[in-house]
Amino acid sequence: MPSLLSGETLDMSVMQNGLVAFVGVILAVCVLLNLLFNKVAAKDPKDKKTDWFFQEEKYDRKLDERADKNQYRNY
C-alpha cells in the first residue's frame, strides 16, 4: 500500500494484491477460530446419538457381589 500513500492511481495489480492479502487475513482468522473451537470441543465432546445411553445411570451394568473381579489375560 505504499504506492497509494505516495499518490499513485489504483490499477488492477494493486487491487488484486489487496484482495489476495484480505483473503489471506480472513483465512488466517478462520483457522485460528477453528483451532480455538476444537480445543473447547475436545474437553467436552458431545454426541447426541449415544449420550442418551451413556449419560444415564439406569443403563449402567451392575456387578454381582459373587462375580469374579480378576482381570485375566491370555498370553
Side-chain angles (χ1 to χ4, degrees):
M1 291 293 176
S3 61
L4 294 177
L5 295 177
S6 63
E8 293 182 23
T9 61
L10 287 175
D11 59 345
M12 193 58 135
S13 66
V14 173
M15 290 174 32
Q16 188 176 15
N17 288 340
L19 179 66
V20 169
F22 180 73
V23 169
V25 168
I26 294 297
L27 185 64
V29 168
C30 290
V31 167
L32 181 64
L33 290 175
N34 190 16
L35 286 173
L36 291 175
F37 287 136
N38 282 342
K39 192 178 290 188
V40 170
K43 288 181 183 176
D44 189 26
K46 293 195 186 287
D47 186 12
K48 292 181 181 179
K49 293 181 287 188
T50 58
D51 277 352
W52 67 271
F53 182 80
F54 291 107
Q55 298 289 326
E56 295 287 332
E57 292 182 5
K58 66 181 179 181
Y59 295 113
D60 287 347
R61 183 180 294 176
K62 305 289 190 266
L63 285 177
D64 190 9
E65 64 272 358
R66 299 171 293 162
D68 188 8
K69 294 177 180 62
N70 292 325
Q71 295 179 359
Y72 298 105
R73 294 186 181 172
N74 296 327
Y75 292 105

